Amino acid sequence: MSGLNLNAIAENATRLGTRLQETISEHTRDLAIARGASSSYFDTPEDKVRNIRKQLDSNSDREKLDAMKRLIALISKGRNVSEFFAQVVKNVASHNLEIRKLVYIYLLRYAEHEPDLALLSINTFQKDLSDPNPLIRAMALRVLSGIRVPMIGSIVVLAIKKCASDISPYVRKAAAMAIHQAYKLDSGLQPELIEIISNLLRDRSPLSIGSVATAFEAVCPTRLDLLHKHYRRLCRTLVDVDEWGQADLMALLLRYARTMLPRPVVTGDREEVDLDVRLLLTSSEPLFQSYNPAVVLAVVRVFYYAAPPSEASKIIQPMLRLLHISPEVERTVLPYLLMVSQSLAHLLIPSYTYFLIRSDDIPHVKRLKMRLLRLLITSENYQALLREFAHYAEDADDTLVKDAIGAIGYSARLVPESAQQCLSILMSFIQSKHSVVVGNAVIVLKQLVQSSLQQGQAIGTSYSSTGIISRLAYSFEQITHPQARACILWLVGQYAADESVQNGIKIGPEGVAPWAPDLLRKSALTFTQEEPIVKLQAITLGAKLIVLSPADRTLILLNRYVLSLARYDMNFDVRDRARMLGALLVGAIPSLHEDDEEQEAPGGVVLRREQVRLVLFEGKLGAPAEKDVLHFDNQTVGSLGAITGKDMAADSVLPDWLEQGVDPALRVSEDDAPPPPIAVQSLQSAVPRSIASSNLASPVVLTPTGPSPSGSYVRTDAKNAWTNLDEFYEESTEEEEEEETESEEDDSEEESEDGEEREEHHEGPESSEAEDEDKESGEEEEDDDHSPHAIHHTS
Amino acid sequence: MAIDGLIILDPTGRAIIQSGFRSSSPAYPLLHIEALNSALAKASRPSDVDPVLYVSALELDTPSACCHIKHSDLRILCPVSGDVDPLYVFAFLQAFVDILREYFGQISAETLKDNFDVVYQLLEETLDASGHPSTTYSNALRDIVLPPSLLQKVLSVAGVTGLASQSSNSHPFASPIPWRKMGVRYNSNEVFFDVVEELRAVVNKGGVAAMSQVWGSVQANCRLSGTPDLLLSFANSQTMTDCSFHPCVRLQRWTRDKQLSFVPPDGQFTLMNYRYQPSGTHQVAVPFAIKASVTFDENKGVFDLTVSSRLTTRTIEKMTVDWFLGDGASSASCNASNTSSWTFDPRTKTLRWEMKNMTPSTSFTLRGHFISAAKVPRPAHAFRVKFDVLQHTFSALKVDQLKLTGELYKPYKGVRGRSMGDVEWRW
């Protein structure tokens, strides 16, 4: 920098000297405040604003620059300054580059509002396109394409064409960037722009290629056929492209691969990867080491969506590396890891420490990490993870507390060895001072008890299910969380049946566990202050107990009390429930309605005690153990929708592989000096294949996106020629299967089926696998019959 | 994939810099600013706001999202809509902040207001009209957008503008290497490497580390003339994993023989990042220990903390212990031992305890209590501890040699180490 300045000083010395002498007296005051010069522009007072017009018309560059800075400052403050447009346009040809740049910025903002005046400046830009300085050429093109005046569309295209063959790669890059603008201006220009793009694709300099890729995506995303000749060269130059270009280019190449190349095939231990797919993989793999997270994620996408399963695992370590870069990057990478974990969870297990939650993590990050940790519980690491979960239960974030306690329950079900420890932790939470902890612990305990009683096995060794229920019943008074209280009431009512007699003496009412009636008493005491959800359960508890032990006098009295309170409750649900249960019990326990006025005519159907018991107790299957349902079925890694969890309208879906790739010979280009042997080989092997295929007679159309897609690709295949149909189906079934595990990318048609499969996987992976096979091969068959159908996806 | 624009907000939430949103309605940027400001107002801690905010499609044609980062006291946000990866946006924001920092040193609302014309030019060059990052190499940018300098100020006040500095080096885009400018000349050629390592650890109640990782980076400051080609080799390169590199590094060479071969950019840049992989299962030890006892009363928490250094020869510097006292915490009063000091920020509800110098095997204590509106206070069950150790690296990474080819001079070379820590200590 200092070197540069010295030069500048040298050249300026004489000029500065004379100039300083002239102006120094007037400007000493300015010098003193030189530091805050622009700041004063920013807070321009009104009278100065009026002065701007005069300044712009003046002859002094200094005045003009001053005025331009004021204008830009006003723009920045959100003020509309289009009134100065005419004056500003005059300065577009200023010799001062500084002024010109600011004029450009101004023009780009306001050209749309003043199309007529903007047209005045176009001549200057056209002249600038031949300026010796590449910076000016590039800038002129940028502004020209940025002036959104529809009638200059053809001029812009001409300018882009000129710049696209410029000697400076920077100007060619500017041309590529301008293409998108021109397209937005007038989509009718598309054919000409596509021509320019295909010219630019030939560019040898890696500099412009990234911008060409984005222009391609914007103008003609479906014309992937244009890339045939360039695909291999683009892959090879990938390393030399600038970082943003790398990210854009890889996205494009991945799309090309998925559309045009054959899917990697797994046969037994062997994986067959098409040489062109292989080329993409090998040339993008080094970029895992890029310092730009966007590039790393682009490589992750390439490997996740195009690599054979054995190599998909390479994405894990680079993704984990990204986590520490910044909290924002962490926030975005975690959802992608969650998506990836569906198929690669086993690879994440050793690295679970990356997901330990810190108390100052962003709440969203906490939630995502929690979901990941849940997925990674195994019989080896559960000790450490339970310790973590127990710690999170003390966090100040209520959602995290809920998730952590839920995860403890999940672990108890998933890893039977851990159940004992989980129960002790949950029981200790019941004594917590924080109602959130207690509440959630009770809810999780309820689920555990319920599922263990259903399966008829004890959860842990030292806690019997009924033991837990009684413990909960005794701590009812300390628990304030309404949902938890309701849970306890329900649990006690549901499992209160107890026929056992200890030492010949039955404590409490017959047929009921000794602690149950007391709970009803407690809830009756506080009935009026409870939440409706608790009241409902209190009435139900009463009904259940009395059905179990119809003769008990105290229970009848308690029930009568509770029912009469409920009958006049403010909440109609509570009133309804009381009326319903009262009516239900009429036949079974007549004494319940002793002093009721409606007692005389029960009417309708009266149920016997056994029937009532059936109504009240049966069919209470526990809620299915909540599965960690991940709604990522139709989302891609690296899309906005995956991050916000909402449908983002424009999220593009990566196309599914073609059954067979297009002819690799198409990708041979003159610059692959010795034509790679693969091409020759595949051409040879293509012959028997096409004889076997039904597409033999169909014309060879090189562009699958053309107007008539029927039979639009040649079934050339570098692998082995298929001999009989059965073998073919077998092979392709395996291919499909492998795809299942490797990526979750699916056609919209397959979506519903896919959802089913995923659920089945939870229960019995083995049984469903066979089904998958059937389904998939069936599908395969269908696809084969209507081969053009598959091609539609690409267009 | 496209970024719709970029907005910089000052600490009060007003826009200072706003790129042109040409293809959308004027309400679009305002909606995003509003979304961020209201999310910030709602959050109990400013850092709690999700970095990717969903902005509903109520008044827009398509749903969009607001990706934002915080830098010093500024918020920089990028509205995005449609098919764009937020990671791409954050990578760009980081690159943009790095450029601003290189141009202006410290970034604050004031420096941006001082130089807003430069910021606008930078924005124009780094983000093209269709929302793709273009030139982000600072070497290339310096040729196009002149950094503010005192000389320029003097010139502008004196009435001589632009011209001279332009003509002195009017070869923008002339360099064949995109990240290095042409014709660099220094009287004394020197290159410095800083090995900066950060310990990130989570320590459980018992004082046992649940996780500890060391992330390092090699920062270079290169002041070499011409087009030097450097070859840097390390004595213990096998301890580095998960490496990532500046684009100038030849990746094949690293994969082959673990040497860094590169033509450096001029000036400061990050050459590489890595993770330190200690041999075997051995973990990097946390260089301090905290003993804490916290008891709760109604609306009140009483605590007694002791921090002691476990290092025997080096001094831990600038240690800060942050403790979130939970929603409702309103005030704290403490006694800090000798040279340490404490503050309580009622906005973030965080108690901060600072120790400037912690000489080997000394300890500090902090006793006090805090008042909370919550009946049973719920402070975070962990302290966040940050510290520096100068002239020290956890990995003991050693530069073996630095060879220079392509130029004739012999440069002066310097290497130094520095470490930092960011530890969560649970109690």
Side-chain angles (χ1 to χ4, degrees), chain A residues 353-371:
Chain A
T353 52
Y354 278 87
F355 310 123
L356 297 188
I357 298 170
R358 298 168 68 112
S359 61
D360 46 3
D361 277 337
I362 304 164
H364 229 93
V365 167
K366 288 183 178 172
R367 231 144 289 157
L368 291 164
K369 282 183 172 174
M370 196 63 229
R371 287 174 73 181

Side-chain angles (χ1 to χ4, degrees), chain A residues 12 38 76 101 331 336 360, chain B residues 16 50 85 114 144 164 384:
Chain A
N12 266 308
S38 298
S76 198
K101 277 194 243 174
R331 158 75 178 92
Y336 300 150
D360 46 3
Chain B
I16 335 178
D50 189 355
D85 179 8
D114 276 354
I144 315 172
R384 184 179 185 173

Side-chain angles (χ1 to χ4, degrees), chain B residues 219-384:
Chain B
Q219 317 265 5
N221 187 359
C222 175
R223 302 161 63 77
L224 300 174
S225 314
T227 314
D229 199 328
L230 300 178
L231 183 71
L232 182 69
S233 50
F234 297 99
N236 42 358
S237 58
Q238 74 284 352
T239 58
M240 295 191 277
T241 57
D242 290 345
C243 301
S244 61
F245 304 97
H246 190 273
C248 69
V249 175
R250 296 181 182 109
L251 297 174
Q252 276 118 341
R253 187 69 188 267
W254 171 263
T255 326
R256 207 178 60 219
D257 40 10
K258 299 280 175 200
Q259 286 178 323
L260 293 172
S261 158
F262 57 99
V263 176
D266 187 44
Q268 296 185 350
F269 65 102
T270 301
L271 181 61
M272 73 176 294
N273 293 297
Y274 61 90
R275 183 166 64 84
Y276 168 49
Q277 172 104 63
S279 51
T281 54
H282 155 84
Q283 268 195 333
V284 178
V286 177
F288 62 90
I290 297 185
K291 271 200 216 83
S293 83
V294 185
T295 50
F296 297 107
D297 240 337
E298 207 163 290
N299 298 340
K300 192 178 168 193
V302 183
F303 52 85
D304 183 350
L305 314 180
T306 310
V307 178
S308 46
S309 167
R310 281 181 185 163
L311 292 183
T312 47
T313 51
R314 296 186 183 281
T315 306
I316 301 178
E317 299 186 30
K318 290 188 198 154
M319 183 185 253
T320 60
V321 178
D322 281 349
W323 186 22
F324 175 57
L325 295 179
D327 287 331
S330 54
S331 70
S333 93
C334 329
N335 262 323
S337 72
N338 42 32
T339 53
S340 62
S341 64
W342 66 274
T343 47
F344 175 73
D345 180 353
R347 208 167 75 86
T348 55
K349 302 174 186 73
T350 305
L351 179 73
R352 168 169 289 198
W353 180 25
E354 285 175 88
M355 287 146 276
K356 290 230 159 49
N357 266 305
M358 188 183 266
T359 45
S361 46
T362 48
S363 55
F364 290 81
T365 54
L366 182 74
R367 284 194 194 88
H369 66 272
F370 65 90
I371 308 292
S372 173
K375 197 150 193 216
V376 188
R378 281 173 80 189
H381 267 248
F383 308 110
R384 184 179 185 173

